[in-house]
Every structure is written in structure tokens, then in C-alpha cells.
Amino acid sequence: MSVFYKKQRRILLEAFRFFKRIIQSSDEVWLLTSRFDPDKIRERFPFLRRVIDLFQRKVIDDFPFLDGASISRIERLAYLFKQDKQGAAVLSEKSLNIKKRKEQLLRLIENFRQKNGEDIVVYIIGSSLFDRRAVLGLCQENANLASKIVYIDT
Amino acid sequence: MMIERLNPGLLDREFIGKKIEETGARFIPLGNGFFHCLDDVLRQTLLGRDTNLGIQTDRLSDHERRIIERDFSYSYHY
């Protein structure tokens, strides 16, 4: 989901409204993104630092990058809507592998379930074939969770 | 219409959507993207419980309905 227009200069109003409403209606929200974090690339692969620096000003705000500043900006916006510093997190290491993506979802759901008990409903909003199949695998392998999951396919 | 039927993305959505529902989970497909369907989603899920839109309880899953009946003493909108 993109709340900001390209180059982060203007906010897309429909996306802003959606983001605000979902954050306010949920106890916890996780935004999983598979975009690359250039800060982490610099840290892990120092030999790519110059290349990342070269493109920083030109393409870094657009797909497929999402840097630490953008993530902080999204989290700050979420905190503003929730009126506190809990309940919203941006996770920038969403796997491109369906099985790993399913395991990531399962870990998040299990943590949430441990804190909140059995009476939870998990709304998963996804759009790609990978999200859809990860959710299918998750439901097929965890029959006790399936009835608590609502998958919204955009 | 024919093009839509032949769209592999939509076919996959329909196919996987059915399989997801067979497991007991709920599947909500949106055609025009999420931003344009926000009110519909709020009406069809517990996400809309604090709005004045009204939740269509007949669309909720059994689990969602149990929660709303128990926790929110909700007035139904059919």
C-alpha cells in the first residue's frame, strides 16, 4: 500500500483514509513489505554502498526501495492515529517465498494470539498470487486458526 | 467479459478463494482495489464496528458473529 505519492511529496487521500481507518479499528497492525531497505543493504553489503548512494536521490523513494526514513514516517503516522506508541509496525522483510511468507504470518498471528487469547479475528489484506497462496497454506495447515482468518483480496 | 474470464490473475483468485473458504476461513475478493471499497469492507467485517455505517451481520463468519454478539451487544442491520 502506498500512502504517499511518488517522491513522498503528497499523500494519496484514499490511501490515507484507508490507512487511518484500519489502524484505528485494529488492536494491532503489521505492514509487511518486500521492498528493499537501502540502509540494510549498505550495512550488509558494503561493496554496494556506492551504487545505493548513487541512486539514493533519484529512485530510492520508489519501488523497489523503502528506506528507514520512510518506514519511520509511516510508523509515526500510525502512532498518531492510535494515540500511542503501540500496535503498529512496519516489517520490511516480507519474504518472496510463499512458504516463508506463510511462516512469517503464522509467527505474527501466534504472538498476537498468545497476548490476546482465542477470541481474535485476523484480517489479512493482500493482493498478489503469493499472498493468496501463503494464506491458503496457512489455513490448510492450521485448522484451529482458519475460522479466525479473513482474507481480503484486493 | 471474455477478457476477464481469461485473466489468469482473476482465475487464480477465484480458484484459491474457493479453497481458502473450504478451510473455514473467510475470503473477501475486491474488484476495484481496496481504497475504493473501504466502506464495503467496513460494513462486512468487524473493522467497521466503531463506524456509523452499520455492519451486515449476515455476511460475517460464525466466529466474527460470536464475538460481536458477546462483546458489543450490537444492534443488527439486515
Side-chain angles (χ1 to χ4, degrees):
Chain A
M1 180 186 69
S2 179
V3 176
F4 298 96
Y5 274 129
K6 283 180 183 175
K7 298 182 185 171
Q8 315 274 337
R9 288 190 184 124
R10 278 192 299 158
I11 291 173
L12 186 65
L13 281 177
E14 294 95 336
F16 183 80
R17 181 171 171 252
F18 155 73
F19 185 60
K20 182 180 176 190
R21 170 55 60 195
I22 297 301
I23 297 272
Q24 286 176 333
S25 306
S26 311
D27 291 317
E28 282 196 32
V29 175
W30 304 289
L31 275 143
L32 277 77
T33 174
S34 48
R35 293 189 185 189
F36 299 111
D37 183 342
D39 301 333
K40 285 184 182 164
I41 296 174
R42 282 195 194 89
E43 199 179 299
R44 288 180 196 170
F45 308 102
F47 60 95
L48 289 177
R49 187 167 293 180
R50 287 194 144 195
V51 180
I52 294 292
D53 288 346
L54 188 68
F55 288 101
Q56 177 89 56
R57 286 171 187 275
K58 290 188 176 176
V59 297
I60 219 78
D61 288 335
D62 298 337
F63 186 83
F65 295 106
L66 188 71
D67 65 2
S70 306
I71 290 172
S72 307
R73 207 157 32 224
I74 294 171
E75 286 184 338
R76 277 205 304 275
L77 206 56
Y79 299 153
L80 187 72
F81 298 147
K82 297 242 9 134
Q83 306 283 311
D84 60 30
K85 290 213 166 197
Q86 289 181 342
V90 178
L91 308 176
S92 63
E93 292 186 352
K94 183 178 179 182
S95 176
L96 295 171
N97 176 298
I98 292 175
K99 193 174 167 215
K100 286 185 181 166
R101 193 171 286 198
K102 179 192 71 189
E103 286 162 4
Q104 280 179 320
L105 287 172
L106 184 60
R107 267 198 307 277
L108 290 169
I109 295 170
E110 286 297 345
N111 285 341
F112 184 63
R113 194 157 73 147
Q114 278 172 12
K115 281 192 281 180
N116 296 280
E118 292 296 313
D119 286 339
I120 59 166
V121 184
V122 179
Y123 293 98
I124 303 174
I125 301 163
S127 59
S128 70
L129 183 144
F130 303 101
D131 290 330
R132 207 175 287 146
R133 288 179 183 248
V135 171
L136 175 62
L138 179 75
C139 295
Q140 283 176 332
E141 291 167 25
N142 299 276
N144 57 335
L145 269 184
S147 65
K148 298 174 172 63
I149 290 175
V150 178
Y151 180 60
I152 300 167
D153 193 301
T154 61
Chain B
M1 194 65 156
M2 283 302 287
I3 293 170
E4 279 183 11
R5 281 183 187 161
L6 292 172
N7 183 329
L10 291 178
L11 286 174
D12 182 77
R13 172 191 274 182
E14 197 176 323
F15 177 67
I16 300 295
K18 276 183 190 158
K19 286 192 157 199
I20 288 176
E21 291 204 321
E22 281 168 15
T23 66
R26 205 173 149 212
F27 180 78
I28 304 177
L30 299 177
N32 298 323
F34 200 79
F35 308 147
H36 304 287
C37 305
L38 177 60
D39 287 353
D40 288 340
V41 171
L42 295 175
R43 281 192 205 99
Q44 292 176 38
T45 64
L46 297 189
L47 293 170
R49 66 183 186 264
D50 295 327
T51 66
N52 54 8
L53 292 169
I55 294 178
Q56 296 168 329
T57 45
D58 51 332
R59 299 229 178 162
L60 300 179
S61 67
D62 292 344
H63 180 66
E64 288 176 296
R65 206 171 297 135
R66 265 197 304 276
I67 289 176
I68 206 167
E69 281 171 359
R70 201 197 56 203
D71 292 351
F72 302 106
S73 311
Y74 205 81
S75 58
Y76 295 146
H77 299 263
Y78 287 103

